[in-house]
């Protein structure tokens, strides 16, 4: 490649190539027309409005701690290795991708494995919602955290995690056609949020997460009428480097805080009762 | 769901800077196109890659994930990633997802290239 004084077009878009999906598809009737002149889809209502810190409402059935006032964290802000984990399931020909996603959005908490609680809005999954979570982490301890609905449309929706969550990143749930079949997918793009979580993920956390999402997709498949749901899991390490500059994320660690909150619960409860009694006196 | 439409042209400014003009819909499905553009733009001498989003028509969360993957690849090669041409809507999405903390956003190509020179 030769150096020039000004801009040099080195490769046209056609030379760069199409995606595998584009290449496999028949040419659209307007093929050849510049992309900029084609009608575009509107994503304005699908994205959440910008928030700096999360605000939460009380939700029944969950503790609801470790979320209010927290910032959102993407893979850029996480500590550990970066992973892309993909869980896919073929739900056959009887249901469209849109119908699968509509069902998933509306009944999302019902597909979670037993022992875990997802307390979202009554209207289902909508951009900008904050859901509160109680996750079973063993030993009778519930990890109290939350998620933010970053994006939602008819074909996909994405949840993003706050500071203190096990991982910094997002989970995208989507459905698409492959031939005559519909495939549903959950894809996690994540880094463990801090060194403690990185250790926990290495010592069985990844395996536990794999089981969690396989169980979720299986439950969805059963609801969609799939006789024997089969979940295919694929994990890829996108970046093996750890981001040590984010090791101080451990200050927000919701697992540590949840344990401390559980231990302190009797004292906190007693203190509240005393304050209530003295307030009434 | 329609077939995603995307084109990416690569322009070089000297040996160290390349601009990728993104036109169309940025979704997870266009990853091979973006990565091919990156290969074309990201030779070993390239230290700065500028993404021009002026032609961006649509982006979903899969598209944001793809940009994160690109960021990882650029960081691995010790290349800086910058962007310009984002509408207010897409700039807000970069801020919401906190991608703006890793990808410097400029108002226009001139300032993005000035940033390269600094």
């Amino acid at each position: 490649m030769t150096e020039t004084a000004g801009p040099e077009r080195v490769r046209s878009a056609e030379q760069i190539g199409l995606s595998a999906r584009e290449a496999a598809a028949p040419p659209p009737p307007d093929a050849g027309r510049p992309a900029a002149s084609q009608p575009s889809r509107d994503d304005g209502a699908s994205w959440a409005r910008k928030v700096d810190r999360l605000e939460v409402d009380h939700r029944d059935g969950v503790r609801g701690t470790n979320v209010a006032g927290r910032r959102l964290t993407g893979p850029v802000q996480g500590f550990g290795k970066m992973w892309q984990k993909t869980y896919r399931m073929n739900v056959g020909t009887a249901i469209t991708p849109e119908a699968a996603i509509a069902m998933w959005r509306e009944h999302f908490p019902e597909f979670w494995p037993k022992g875990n609680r997802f307390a979202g809005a009554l209207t289902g999954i909508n951009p900008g919602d904050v859901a509160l979570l109680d996750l079973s982490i063993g030993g009778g301890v519930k990890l109290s955290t939350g998620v933010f609905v970053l994006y939602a449309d008819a074909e996909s929706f994405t949840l993003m995690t706050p500071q203190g969550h096990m991982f910094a990143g997002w989970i995208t749930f989507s459905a698409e056609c492959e031939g005559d079949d519909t495939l549903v997918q959950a894809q996690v793009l994540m880094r463990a949020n801090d060194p403690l979580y990185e250790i926990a993920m290495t010592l069985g956390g990844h395996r536990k997460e794999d089981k969690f999402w396989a169980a979720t997709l299986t439950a969805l498949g059963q609801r969609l009428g799939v006789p024997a749901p089969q979940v295919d899991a694929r994990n890829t390490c996108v970046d093996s480097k750890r981001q040590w500059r984010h090791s101080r994320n451990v200050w927000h660690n919701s697992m540590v805080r949840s344990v401390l909150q559980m231990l302190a619960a009797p004292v906190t409860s007693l203190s509240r009762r005393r304050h209530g009694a003295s307030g009434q006196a | 769901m329609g077939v995603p439409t995307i084109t990416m042209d690569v322009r070089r400014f000297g040996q160290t800077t390349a601009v990728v003009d993104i036109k169309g819909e940025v979704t997870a499905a266009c990853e091979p196109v973006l990565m091919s553009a990156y290969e074309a733009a990201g030779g070993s001498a390239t230290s700065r890659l500028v993404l021009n989003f002026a032609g961006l028509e649509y982006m979903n969360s899969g598209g944001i994930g793809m940009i994160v993957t690109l960021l990882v690849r650029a960081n691995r090669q010790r290349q800086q990633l910058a962007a310009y041409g984002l509408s207010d809507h897409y700039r807000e999405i970069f801020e919401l997802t906190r991608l703006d903390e890793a990808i410097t956003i400029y108002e226009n190509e001139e300032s993005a290239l000035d940033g390269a020179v600094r």
Side-chain angles (χ1 to χ4, degrees), chain A residues 5-54:
Chain A
E8 176 201 8
R9 175 170 289 196
V10 292
R11 292 179 80 180
S12 72
E14 288 73 23
Q15 285 173 311
I16 286 169
L18 300 170
S19 69
R21 192 171 172 174
E22 285 174 301
D30 54 358
R33 195 167 63 168
S37 67
Q38 292 181 8
S40 62
R41 292 185 278 169
D42 183 12
D43 59 30
S46 301
W47 287 96
R49 293 269 170 225
K50 191 189 163 207
V51 293
D52 289 321
R53 292 184 183 273
L54 296 180

Side-chain angles (χ1 to χ4, degrees), chain A residues 112 115-116 133-137 141-143 145 165-166 212:
Chain A
W112 273 33
N116 301 281
L133 316 181
D134 274 354
L135 303 173
S136 176
I137 54 172
V141 179
K142 294 275 185 189
L143 192 159
T145 179
H165 196 92
M166 292 90 72
F212 184 99

Side-chain angles (χ1 to χ4, degrees), chain A residues 1 7-10 13 16 19 22 35-36 38 41 43 47 71-72 77 82 150-151 155 158 238, chain B residues 1 4-5 7-12 25 29 36 57-61 68 76 89-90 93 96 98 101:
Chain A
M1 198 170 293
E8 176 201 8
R9 175 170 289 196
V10 292
I16 286 169
S19 69
E22 285 174 301
Q38 292 181 8
R41 292 185 278 169
D43 59 30
W47 287 96
R71 298 188 71 192
L72 292 169
Q77 286 77 34
M82 187 168 147
L150 178 67
Y151 181 94
E155 295 155 349
T158 298
V238 180
Chain B
M1 185 171 174
T5 53
T7 63
M8 296 191 192
D9 290 339
V10 179
R11 293 177 286 136
R12 293 200 68 93
E25 300 180 354
S36 296
E57 294 177 349
Y58 170 90
M59 181 164 62
N60 63 14
S61 54
V68 172
R76 208 179 288 151
H89 170 57
Y90 290 117
I93 290 165
L96 176 65
R98 299 182 66 185
E101 294 175 15

Side-chain angles (χ1 to χ4, degrees), chain A residues 197-216:
Chain A
Y197 280 136
E198 179 74 344
I199 293 168
M201 292 303 278
T202 308
L203 299 176
H206 283 298
R207 198 169 57 244
K208 198 166 183 181
E209 190 180 31
D210 290 347
K211 280 186 182 171
F212 184 99
W213 291 115
T216 300

Side-chain angles (χ1 to χ4, degrees), chain B:
Chain B
M1 185 171 174
V3 176
T5 53
I6 183 85
T7 63
M8 296 191 192
D9 290 339
V10 179
R11 293 177 286 136
R12 293 200 68 93
F13 289 83
Q15 275 191 326
T16 58
T17 304
V19 175
V20 180
D21 297 316
I22 298 170
K23 289 177 187 161
E25 300 180 354
V26 175
T27 66
C30 68
E31 183 172 8
V33 185
L34 180 60
M35 292 311 162
S36 296
Y38 174 73
E39 295 296 332
S44 58
T46 303
S47 59
R48 187 176 175 87
L49 197 61
V50 181
L51 304 176
N52 170 14
F53 286 102
L56 177 61
E57 294 177 349
Y58 170 90
M59 181 164 62
N60 63 14
S61 54
I64 283 284
M66 197 187 57
I67 292 169
V68 172
T69 309
L70 177 71
L71 176 67
V72 168
R73 289 186 68 168
N75 285 345
R76 208 179 288 151
Q77 300 296 322
R78 299 182 189 280
Q79 294 164 330
Q80 287 182 320
L81 207 55
Y84 75 92
L86 286 162
S87 65
D88 290 345
H89 170 57
Y90 290 117
R91 182 184 279 253
E92 199 172 89
I93 290 165
F94 268 57
E95 290 168 358
L96 176 65
T97 55
R98 299 182 66 185
L99 267 182
D100 63 322
E101 294 175 15
I103 301 174
T104 313
I105 298 172
Y106 294 92
E107 286 298 321
N108 51 45
E109 182 170 296
E110 189 181 14
S111 56
L113 293 175
D114 280 351
V117 170
R118 276 201 295 269

Side-chain angles (χ1 to χ4, degrees), chain A residues 155-183:
Chain A
E155 295 155 349
S156 67
F157 58 99
T158 298
L159 308 178
M160 188 171 180
T161 59
Q163 289 171 317
H165 196 92
M166 292 90 72
F167 64 82
W170 43 73
I171 312 170
T172 296
F173 306 89
S174 61
E176 62 176 356
C177 288
E178 191 171 274
D180 293 334
D181 291 343
T182 293
L183 297 181

Side-chain angles (χ1 to χ4, degrees), chain A residues 133-272:
Chain A
L133 316 181
D134 274 354
L135 303 173
S136 176
I137 54 172
V141 179
K142 294 275 185 189
L143 192 159
S144 183
T145 179
V147 286
F148 176 81
V149 182
L150 178 67
Y151 181 94
D153 67 15
E155 295 155 349
S156 67
F157 58 99
T158 298
L159 308 178
M160 188 171 180
T161 59
Q163 289 171 317
H165 196 92
M166 292 90 72
F167 64 82
W170 43 73
I171 312 170
T172 296
F173 306 89
S174 61
E176 62 176 356
C177 288
E178 191 171 274
D180 293 334
D181 291 343
T182 293
L183 297 181
V184 296
Q185 173 178 295
Q187 187 172 67
V188 187
L189 190 64
M190 51 93 61
R191 290 182 191 272
N193 231 326
D194 63 47
L196 280 182
Y197 280 136
E198 179 74 344
I199 293 168
M201 292 303 278
T202 308
L203 299 176
H206 283 298
R207 198 169 57 244
K208 198 166 183 181
E209 190 180 31
D210 290 347
K211 280 186 182 171
F212 184 99
W213 291 115
T216 300
L217 259 71
T218 301
L220 172 67
Q222 286 165 346
R223 181 72 68 89
L224 293 173
V226 179
Q230 293 287 323
V231 179
D232 172 51
R234 195 179 61 212
N235 295 347
T236 308
C237 183
V238 180
D239 185 12
S240 59
K241 280 189 179 171
R242 296 187 174 94
Q243 303 195 122
W244 285 95
R245 65 185 182 279
H246 295 308
S247 58
R248 280 183 291 181
N249 289 351
V250 74
W251 172 252
H252 296 285
N253 188 301
S254 295
M255 187 166 63
V256 172
R257 286 175 181 248
S258 294
V259 171
L260 294 176
Q261 285 156 5
M262 193 185 75
L263 293 174
V267 180
T268 312
S269 171
L270 195 64
S271 170
R272 274 193 197 134

